[in-house]
Amino acid sequence: MVIRSTLRKNVRILLLGERGVGKTSLILSLVSEEFPEDVPAKAEEITIPPDVTPEMVPTHIVDYSAIEQTEDQLLEEVRRAHVICLVYSVDDERTLLRITTHWLPLLRDAIPHSRCPIILVGNKVDLIDDTTVTAAQEIMEEYPEIESFVECSAKSLRNISEMFYYAQKAVLHPTAPIYLTEKQDLTEDCKKALTRIFMVCDLDNDGLLNDYELNAFQKRCFDMPLRPEAMEDVKEVLKRNLVGGVSSNNCITLLGFLYLHCLFIQRGRSHTTWTVLRKFGYNDQLHLTKDFLFPPLKVPSGSTTELNHKGTQFFTKLFWRFDKDRDGALSPVELTQLFATCPAPAWGSDIHNIVPTNEKEWITLQGFLCFWVLTTFHDVKTTFEYLAYFGYPISDCENQLSAIHVTREKKLDLLKKQSTRTVYICNVIGCKSSGKSTICRRHIGHDIARIKEDVEGVPQRTINVEHVYGQEKYLIMKDIEVRNVSEPLSSSDTRCDVVCLAYDATNPKSFEYVARIYLKYFEDTKIPVLFVCTKTDCGEIKQDYLVQPSAFCDAHRLAPPHKYSAVAGDSRELYQKLATMAAFPTMRRVVHMLMLRQQISTAFYNNLKSHLTELSLLSGDSILWKAGFGIALVAAFGLVVSKFLIKRDR
């Protein structure tokens, strides 16, 4: 169960006022439901259990006595209180005067920066026929920290429960942060929060809430649909009281949505507005809470975080929701609308150098998903944050964790010789001008002309989708910057799922660097490695090294160097090969063995054919004998080779 409520875990009510105004009597009358004949100087602190309070929150009621407590003790209780009931006696004007001359100034000095609400309480209404409402209203206008006013009687039990309910409500559903009494309007922070909520609930982005969207909003906030007759009643209220509250097609506008909440508060239903705000993650200061934005997630060492089907589906729907012209890309205007519910865009102007974009450098659906896959992999907290901003369904039973999959540890993948993950990192390593950046940029579809235009400043990561045996895998290409040959690689430079060691076919010194990198960092690891010979369209020259690249790979049981050209051939083959090696990390030995078998078999067949020709065994009158002899030789040689390879593999 996900705890989503931002209500306080308890409410602490402090009663203050002059001696004899009935503070202690009010407390005892509430508890015993009868007026006490013998009233002590001070009541002990009382705790009301949650199951007997309207908000299901334990409530602590604290009395104050000038006889038994010092001024320091008074100030300590004031600082601990969540709400203060200032009590005066309606039959004693002196006690009402002390409210403004002593108690309210004292509270302002004691808690100058606090928003601790105050309930003004006139007790002993059973003793007079008049009312002090007018005087109380004048005080409330001067002191906005006073949340509400109530007249009651401890003796007749009149409005006793209401007084403590108002006190509890002032803590759990405070009016001050959301409503300006003097202006009879919502605060700017409240308008801003409710506007964001309206935009999140406006699923078709037409600036209106239709009946379907209103019902979805109602279910999310109050766990029940809005009855059709109730929905029409709401619209009738708006039509009667506000021009522009309901559109011509009978949908509620933003203006109408804000007016409804203003009306709720004016009618004493601030809890309705607070329920909405809290369901969408806002605290008493109208800030999105940390728990709402960042649900706790533990990722074991060796595991990674990925978007699951539900997360991918949410971002896909989000993309099409804002791609109004259905061109498969988000224009600058559409992006502005997308991030309107967020403090800032999730990416910068260099996004076109990280993920696939169209010819206008607008992010495509594939690029959009790639970005969130990359973010989830490297910084899952940011994904959590933006899921909340975008309106991912968060409730008491669900949060952003339902959009994320934590993979099993990598050592288990190696043990089972197959990875269940969908996102892999490929570190691209090579000396300067070996073509690393080009490999990364071609990965997201940039042509060579576009790459040449960018002299410097390109990002170090790109991500795109590759297909491995019919399954979509995301491959992150990380360009490892190298300043000089002697500079050691960091742990992050060698931490990956597959390594691409790139060398320049036209530079005789290029292979030596990656060969030494392999021997120093990767020879004794289980990380798959692929050597890539770049710029093969310009010709290939001999490398100044102990052995040539093909012989080096063969000696270390690696696949032969992949021939790569950014201007000719199918570059996708390289990325598919890298993704496959990452998904099947133990495959490199198998690939090498199969290639070795193929090389031996081809050589043996050619040698056998030569000998048979010399022996004139290819004449037509001995075909059965020749076939049997050939099969026997191949079988015998195959047995020898198999034993040799098994022994070598051990």
Side-chain angles (χ1 to χ4, degrees):
M1 177 69 73
V2 179
I3 305 299
R4 275 284 308 107
S5 176
T6 58
L7 292 174
R8 288 183 181 272
K9 295 180 179 179
N10 58 72
V11 173
R12 189 174 182 85
I13 303 172
L14 174 64
L15 274 69
L16 297 178
E18 297 298 300
R19 287 182 60 189
V21 295
K23 302 186 298 298
T24 306
S25 297
L26 286 170
I27 296 173
L28 298 178
S29 293
L30 174 74
V31 175
S32 63
E33 296 185 352
E34 62 180 8
F35 183 69
E37 296 298 333
D38 296 320
V39 181
K42 176 179 177 293
E44 296 297 324
E45 180 177 326
I46 292 173
T47 299
I48 301 176
D51 54 347
V52 297
T53 63
E55 299 292 347
M56 299 298 290
V57 176
T59 301
H60 308 279
I61 302 176
V62 181
D63 194 8
Y64 165 71
S65 171
I67 297 175
E68 296 190 5
Q69 291 174 285
T70 65
E71 186 173 345
D72 288 340
Q73 289 175 318
L74 166 63
L75 294 178
E76 178 61 26
E77 288 293 356
V78 167
R79 295 186 186 101
R80 293 179 63 196
H82 298 146
V83 58
I84 295 171
C85 291
L86 272 184
V87 185
Y88 66 92
S89 177
V90 295
D91 69 334
D92 187 347
E93 289 187 7
R94 183 188 65 85
T95 62
L96 178 60
L97 182 63
R98 287 281 289 175
I99 293 293
T100 55
T101 59
H102 173 70
W103 289 108
L104 285 170
L106 180 146
L107 293 176
R108 282 189 170 181
D109 290 339
I111 43 177
H113 304 296
S114 172
R115 276 188 165 184
C116 181
I118 296 172
I119 308 298
L120 189 58
V121 180
N123 189 25
K124 304 185 181 182
V125 292
D126 58 292
L127 299 179
I128 63 172
D129 297 326
D130 202 358
T131 179
T132 57
V133 170
T134 302
Q137 286 178 339
E138 292 176 356
I139 295 173
M140 291 176 69
E141 289 177 3
E142 185 179 353
Y143 293 89
E145 57 265 46
I146 299 177
E147 191 84 10
S148 56
F149 162 70
V150 60
E151 288 185 329
C152 60
S153 169
K155 188 170 186 178
S156 66
L157 306 184
R158 177 181 171 184
N159 289 341
I160 300 296
S161 297
E162 286 80 359
M163 181 195 96
F164 287 101
Y165 169 71
Y166 290 149
Q168 189 183 60
K169 180 182 170 184
V171 176
L172 302 178
H173 312 298
T175 302
I178 60 175
Y179 188 72
L180 298 169
T181 305
E182 62 275 15
K183 293 185 178 180
Q184 294 189 332
D185 195 9
L186 301 174
T187 64
E188 288 304 314
D189 285 343
C190 184
K191 287 180 181 178
K192 183 179 178 181
L194 290 174
T195 298
R196 177 188 163 271
I197 292 170
F198 181 92
M199 295 170 68
V200 167
C201 296
D202 180 16
L203 302 177
D204 57 7
N205 294 343
D206 63 351
L208 304 168
L209 292 184
N210 58 37
D211 290 355
Y212 174 81
E213 292 164 341
L214 278 172
N215 253 325
F217 164 79
Q218 179 78 7
K219 287 179 182 177
R220 177 164 180 171
C221 294
F222 305 102
D223 301 319
M224 63 178 67
L226 197 62
R227 292 178 293 105
E229 54 270 26
M231 194 177 296
E232 289 306 314
D233 289 344
V234 168
K235 293 177 183 178
E236 283 302 316
V237 169
L238 287 174
K239 289 175 182 177
R240 286 197 306 268
N241 295 280
L242 181 68
V243 177
V246 179
S247 67
S248 57
N249 57 346
N250 207 33
C251 297
I252 292 181
T253 65
L254 173 59
L255 191 64
F257 185 74
L258 296 177
Y259 177 81
L260 283 174
H261 285 282
C262 194
L263 204 60
F264 291 148
I265 298 168
Q266 290 171 350
R267 294 181 178 180
R269 294 177 55 192
S270 61
H271 60 277
T272 300
T273 299
W274 274 115
T275 299
V276 171
L277 291 167
R278 287 176 174 134
K279 284 291 183 178
F280 282 86
Y282 289 94
N283 60 15
D284 288 354
Q285 290 73 45
L286 296 180
H287 299 147
L288 289 174
T289 65
K290 184 178 179 180
D291 289 343
F292 184 82
L293 294 176
F294 309 110
L297 175 66
K298 185 176 181 180
V299 182
S301 177
S303 297
T304 58
T305 47
E306 300 179 353
L307 285 179
N308 60 21
H309 173 71
K310 190 168 185 178
T312 302
Q313 189 178 52
F314 176 82
F315 280 117
T316 301
K317 288 182 177 179
L318 185 70
F319 179 91
W320 290 119
R321 175 181 164 187
F322 286 91
D323 183 20
K324 289 287 189 68
D325 53 11
R326 290 295 186 268
D327 64 346
L330 296 179
S331 68
V333 172
E334 291 167 340
L335 276 181
T336 300
Q337 294 174 344
L338 169 70
F339 290 118
T341 59
C342 311
W347 58 73
S349 58
D350 62 344
I351 188 67
H352 61 278
N353 286 328
I354 303 172
V355 302
T357 56
N358 67 6
E359 64 281 355
K360 297 179 181 178
E361 297 185 349
W362 296 354
I363 195 167
T364 61
L365 173 60
Q366 183 171 322
F368 189 70
L369 294 177
C370 281
F371 174 82
W372 292 112
V373 167
L374 178 67
T375 302
T376 303
F377 188 87
H378 284 295
D379 184 12
V380 69
K381 290 184 68 176
T382 296
T383 298
F384 284 161
E385 184 179 8
Y386 277 86
L387 281 170
Y389 293 149
F390 290 137
Y392 186 81
I394 301 174
S395 65
D396 290 339
C397 302
E398 182 181 8
N399 60 16
Q400 301 96 307
L401 293 176
S402 66
I404 304 298
H405 169 64
V406 178
T407 67
R408 70 186 183 191
E409 296 181 45
K410 190 173 181 179
K411 62 183 179 182
L412 293 178
D413 287 343
L414 294 172
L415 185 65
K416 294 180 178 294
K417 300 181 180 181
Q418 183 176 354
S419 172
T420 58
R421 292 186 289 156
T422 60
V423 186
Y424 303 102
I425 291 185
C426 174
N427 282 2
V428 186
I429 304 174
C431 61
K432 190 174 181 180
S433 301
S434 60
K436 304 190 308 298
S437 297
T438 299
I439 290 175
C440 293
R441 297 283 292 282
R442 290 287 287 152
H443 183 222
I444 55 175
H446 289 191
D447 57 39
I448 195 66
R450 181 176 181 179
I451 295 171
K452 287 181 177 179
E453 290 177 1
D454 299 324
V455 179
E456 59 183 356
V458 296
Q460 292 187 345
R461 284 190 183 94
T462 60
I463 179 172
N464 208 345
V465 178
E466 303 299 335
H467 289 85
V468 176
Y469 299 122
Q471 295 182 339
E472 284 191 349
K473 304 289 186 181
Y474 289 88
L475 186 64
I476 301 169
M477 304 292 289
K478 184 180 177 182
D479 181 359
I480 304 300
E481 184 180 1
V482 178
R483 294 179 178 84
N484 55 69
V485 176
S486 61
E487 181 183 3
L489 297 181
S490 66
S491 59
S492 63
D493 293 337
T494 58
R495 189 168 54 245
C496 56
D497 301 298
V498 61
V499 180
C500 173
L501 296 177
Y503 67 95
D504 183 353
T506 64
N507 180 359
K509 300 291 186 181
S510 186
F511 179 74
E512 180 180 3
Y513 176 80
V514 289
R516 292 184 182 277
I517 288 290
Y518 172 79
L519 294 173
K520 184 175 181 180
Y521 296 101
F522 300 107
E523 182 181 23
D524 296 326
T525 71
K526 294 182 179 180
I527 300 174
V529 176
L530 181 66
F531 282 86
V532 177
C533 181
T534 65
K535 307 179 186 179
T536 54
D537 54 294
C538 300
E540 196 171 346
I541 63 174
K542 185 178 179 181
Q543 293 291 317
D544 292 343
Y545 190 57
L546 299 173
V547 293
Q548 292 306 294
S550 295
F552 181 91
C553 291
D554 184 60
H556 291 88
R557 301 164 72 185
L558 300 171
H562 180 91
K563 309 297 182 182
Y564 179 80
S565 170
V567 297
D570 182 13
S571 61
R572 299 299 335 155
E573 180 186 353
L574 169 62
Y575 309 112
Q576 290 171 355
K577 185 181 292 187
L578 290 168
T580 303
M581 293 172 69
F584 298 91
T586 60
M587 208 176 209
R588 62 173 183 164
R589 291 176 178 239
V590 177
V591 170
H592 178 267
M593 289 166 59
L594 290 173
M595 294 181 60
L596 184 60
R597 285 192 178 110
Q598 183 181 11
Q599 291 170 0
I600 294 174
S601 299
T602 302
F604 173 72
Y605 173 77
N606 291 334
N607 191 38
L608 175 63
K609 181 178 177 181
S610 175
H611 281 291
L612 290 174
T613 302
E614 292 177 3
L615 294 171
S616 300
L617 291 176
L618 294 178
S619 57
D621 59 348
S622 56
I623 187 166
L624 292 176
W625 183 86
K626 288 182 288 186
F629 179 74
I631 291 171
L633 281 175
V634 170
F637 186 78
L639 181 62
V640 173
V641 169
S642 296
K643 289 182 177 180
F644 167 74
L645 290 173
I646 290 171
K647 183 177 180 181
R648 181 176 180 179
D649 192 42
R650 288 176 182 171

